[in-house]
């Protein structure tokens, strides 16, 4: 890997953890290059950012996922054996199982459930001195997505299950107690869902009629590309791959409220669907969420004048690509209007991955996320709320990031 700009430290993992979302972008800036080499987690790694880098990263002829994600992330965030680590035919087949959930009717059904839960919560918020928006949105989403996915959730278990799903996200990038908490949460949640899968499989005939409706039933009875049922643990991992990230939309809900509060002049007219959409796109571009995605080169590749050796791990900077000065004018300014005259292609705005949803590892929940964010703007507009003094700073060295306060609202009540 001669010639490639390189970090000459023995290992840069501590720098990465210290600088968080900014690590790759800072180095690309210093090296004046969209790519550099560093040792991360004691392995030679190529760090990349920008639309051209995303095209390389999402080329399935060039890159694979098997063996790319560190085990500590699989044991917390993704789960072992899930769609994230698959390639080629096995990936496309498994991915179709997720994409089948994303019909317009399926998405509407989830959005309606979330709206109903929000309305219910609002009557409670009216009686509360303060509303912790992040926590409240997590409960709303947990109830709604479990019902949507066909996963029974007794009210008495709501708090515990919400914390478990949240801990998998919260502790994924952490070391020490938060990491171990995330592992315990995953084990416990996989056991919980695994028992439900066994129940469906014991008497599948009871579920044939409702098969279309729920991820629990569809995934439990899904057959892989060889016609085999998936191992129970893998089904549990995949059902959690629906529940956990839907709960994570709570972070974007907080970011929506944060942006509406911080830049009131950019507030969209709620009767203008396009303006709402532009605002959501800018929140997804501007705010930090997933920092990077990982893959491995299948073979040696010539790219931008460099020879990149086969087998090397690639880290694509998702946050940095959304803030790449070569791709975005004034990237550090929050400005929904930038989307007014701009077509969004598959490589520049990549908070949920790039490329094609069916073929690549791009997030199958992207439409759900966008719809739920759009609804959040409408729900917040239909409420009166004030923002008391609090720490709204977002620390970009913390992964995953959130305003320190979790966004506290006061004087919440319906507007009409
Ligand atoms: C994959 C982000 C919501 C399910 C991904 C990836 C990212 C991402 C960055 C990986 C892309 C890659 O590896 O190249 C997000 C964000 C969300 C969100 C920021 C908002 C909170 C959702 C929702 C669902 C979902 C609502 C399901 C209902 C998945 C699955 C994958 C995935 C199953 C793996 C896809 C594959 O490997 O082919 N998401 N996601 N996500 N997401 Fe999401």
């Amino acid at each position: 890997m001669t010639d490639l700009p390189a970090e000459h430290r023995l290992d840069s993992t501590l720098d990465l953890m210290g600088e968080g979302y900014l690590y790759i972008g800072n180095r690309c800036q210093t090296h004046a290059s969209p790519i550099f080499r560093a040792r991360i987690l004691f392995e030679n790694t190529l760090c990349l950012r920008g639309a051209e880098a995303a095209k390389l990263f999402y080329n399935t002829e060039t890159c694979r996922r098997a063996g790319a994600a560190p085990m500590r992330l699989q044991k917390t965030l993704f789960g072992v054996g899930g769609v994230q680590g698959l390639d080629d035919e096995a990936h496309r087949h498994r991915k179709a199982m997720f994409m089948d959930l994303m019909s317009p009717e399926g998405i509407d059904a989830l959005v309606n459930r979330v709206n109903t839960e929000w309305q219910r919560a609002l009557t409670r918020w009216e009686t509360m001195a303060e509303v912790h928006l992040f926590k409240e949105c997590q409960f709303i989403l947990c109830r709604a997505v479990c019902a949507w996915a066909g996963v029974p959730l007794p009210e008495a278990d709501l708090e515990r299950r919400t914390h478990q799903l949240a801990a998998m996200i919260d502790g994924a990038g952490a070391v020490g107690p938060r990491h171990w908490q995330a592992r315990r949460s995953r084990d416990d949640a996989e056991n919980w869902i695994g028992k439900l899968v066994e129940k469906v499989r014991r008497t599948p005939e009871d579920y044939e009629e409702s098969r279309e409706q729920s991820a629990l039933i569809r995934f439990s009875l899904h057959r892989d590309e060889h016609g085999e049922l998936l191992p129970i643990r893998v089904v549990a991992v995949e059902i959690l791959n629906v529940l956990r990230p839907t709960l994570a939309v709570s972070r974007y809900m907080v970011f929506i409220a944060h942006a509406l509060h911080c830049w009131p002049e950019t507030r969209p007219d709620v009767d203008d669907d396009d303006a709402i959409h532009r605002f959501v796109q800018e929140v997804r571009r501007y705010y930090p969420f997933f920092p990077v995605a990982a893959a491995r080169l299948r073979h040696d590749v010539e790219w931008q004048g460099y020879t990149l050796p086969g087998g090397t791990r690639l880290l694509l900077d998702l946050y940095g690509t959304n803030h790449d000065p070569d791709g975005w004018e004034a990237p550090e300014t929050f400005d929904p209007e930038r989307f007014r005259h701009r077509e969004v292609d598959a490589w520049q705005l990549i908070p949920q991955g790039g490329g094609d949803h069916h073929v690549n590892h791009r997030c199958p929940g992207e439409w759900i996320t966008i719809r739920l964010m759009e609804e959040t703007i409408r729900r917040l507009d239909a409420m009166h709320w004030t923002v008391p003094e609090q720490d709204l700073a977002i620390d970009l060295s913390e992964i995953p990031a959130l305003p320190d306060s979790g966004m506290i609202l006061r004087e919440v009540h319906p507007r009409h």
Side-chain angles (χ1 to χ4, degrees), residues 249-324:
V249 176
S250 52
R251 291 174 178 271
Y252 273 148
M253 289 172 154
V254 166
F255 290 147
I256 294 266
H258 189 269
L260 290 171
H261 173 70
C262 292
W263 297 285
E265 68 285 1
T266 67
R267 277 181 181 223
D269 171 356
V270 286
D271 295 324
D272 182 345
D273 290 349
D274 292 340
I276 288 189
H277 188 68
R278 288 197 291 274
F279 193 89
V280 165
Q281 292 294 58
E282 182 65 348
V283 169
R284 296 195 321 130
R285 186 198 70 79
Y286 180 84
Y287 283 88
F289 208 125
F290 263 71
V292 294
R296 258 179 214 287
L297 286 170
R298 288 180 192 255
H299 46 74
D300 289 3
V301 172
E302 298 296 322
W303 190 72
Q304 306 223 339
Y306 301 116
T307 303
L308 315 180
T312 315
R313 185 170 59 198
L314 304 182
L315 284 188
L316 175 67
D317 187 355
L318 303 178
Y319 176 80
T321 301
N322 297 336
H323 288 254
D324 180 6

Side-chain angles (χ1 to χ4, degrees), residues 57-58 65 83-84 91 95 98 102 148 241-242 245-246 248-249 252 289-290 293 318 351-354 360-365 368-369:
F57 184 89
Y58 285 105
R65 292 301 174 99
V83 62
Q84 289 93 341
H91 175 253
K95 189 66 175 280
F98 284 92
M102 306 301 165
W148 182 68
N241 262 335
V242 172
T246 304
V249 176
Y252 273 148
F289 208 125
F290 263 71
L318 303 178
Q352 295 178 252
N360 298 118
H361 285 266
R362 185 172 189 145
C363 176
I368 284 183
T369 307

Side-chain angles (χ1 to χ4, degrees), residues 28-75:
C28 286
Q29 211 70 24
T30 324
H31 293 297
S33 165
I35 184 167
F36 65 91
R37 177 167 60 84
R39 274 183 77 75
I40 292 177
L41 289 173
F42 305 106
E43 192 184 326
N44 261 338
T45 303
L46 293 172
C47 301
L48 305 100
R49 91 166 168 189
E52 289 308 310
K55 285 182 196 164
L56 168 75
F57 184 89
Y58 285 105
N59 182 340
T60 52
E61 308 269 293
T62 314
C63 297
R64 61 175 160 85
R65 292 301 174 99
M71 192 41 96
R72 54 187 299 111
L73 275 193
Q74 292 183 43
K75 294 269 185 192

Side-chain angles (χ1 to χ4, degrees), residues 75 79-80 151-152 157 160-161 164-165 168 182-200 202 216 220 231-240 243:
K75 294 269 185 192
V80 177
V151 170
D157 292 350
R160 176 160 143 246
R161 296 304 180 195
Q164 255 170 15
L165 294 169
M168 288 180 217
R183 282 175 88 130
R184 276 194 302 277
S185 294
R186 169 159 288 284
D187 277 349
D188 197 21
E190 285 182 10
N191 287 336
W192 164 46
I193 303 290
K195 290 199 182 90
L196 299 172
V197 175
E198 279 170 14
K199 199 163 157 229
V200 173
R202 266 199 300 275
L216 173 66
S220 298
I232 287 176
R233 199 75 181 181
V234 172
V235 179
V237 163
E238 300 298 36
I239 291 170
L240 290 172
L243 306 186

